[in-house]
Amino acid sequence: MMVAGIGSRKGISARDVLAAIETALEAHGLAMTALSALATASLKQDEQAILSAGRELALPVIVVEDDALKAASSRAISRSSLSQERAGTPSVSEASALAAAGKDAKLLGPRIVLGPVTCAIAISGDAA
């Protein structure tokens, strides 16, 4: 399973989200068709742009609960003090991707920051 974890500021557009996903995938030499799902933290569950991006890509959007997000946080590569303060994790996108992809998931690299959106790609151990 390959998951794109999404973090963002408020009021973003679906175009912002899609551009960040595409940029992150390109950084790893991957196509959009490689993705199994999108993921984000529960505090972003009402962010319409993330939900719209999932619909446009015909991918499920997994909302990661706070406990799972915090459990995956120790495996995050990036560190944002703002993310830590607001979401309780050093990287919403990285922790969301890791939590949604499963306990043996690994990040393909640090999150990509594209304007107001961050995107990290995680892959589960069985998809390697």
Side-chain angles (χ1 to χ4, degrees):
M1 175 177 217
M2 188 176 298
V3 178
I6 308 296
S8 71
R9 295 186 193 121
K10 290 184 180 185
I12 56 167
S13 70
R15 189 175 346 151
D16 292 332
V17 176
L18 293 168
I21 294 168
E22 187 174 322
T23 301
L25 288 169
E26 285 175 357
H28 301 295
L30 299 166
M32 197 70 81
T33 54
L35 286 178
S36 308
L38 306 183
T40 196
S42 61
L43 71 114
K44 292 286 174 189
Q45 67 188 354
D46 295 325
E47 190 66 56
Q48 289 304 309
I50 297 171
L51 301 173
S52 293
R55 283 192 299 273
E56 188 166 326
L57 296 172
L59 292 172
V61 176
I62 300 167
V63 175
V64 177
E65 296 302 321
D66 292 346
D67 290 347
L69 191 73
K70 288 179 182 160
S73 290
S74 65
R75 296 184 287 145
I77 298 169
S78 302
R79 301 277 180 249
S80 163
S81 57
L82 186 62
S83 179
Q84 186 68 55
E85 178 185 315
R86 293 192 179 166
T89 180
S91 172
V92 167
S93 56
E94 291 178 5
S96 295
L98 286 164
K103 81 174 176 82
D104 294 326
K106 292 182 177 29
L107 290 169
L108 296 184
R111 68 183 182 195
I112 299 296
V113 179
L114 189 64
V117 181
T118 62
C119 181
I121 309 296
I123 189 167
S124 63
D126 61 354

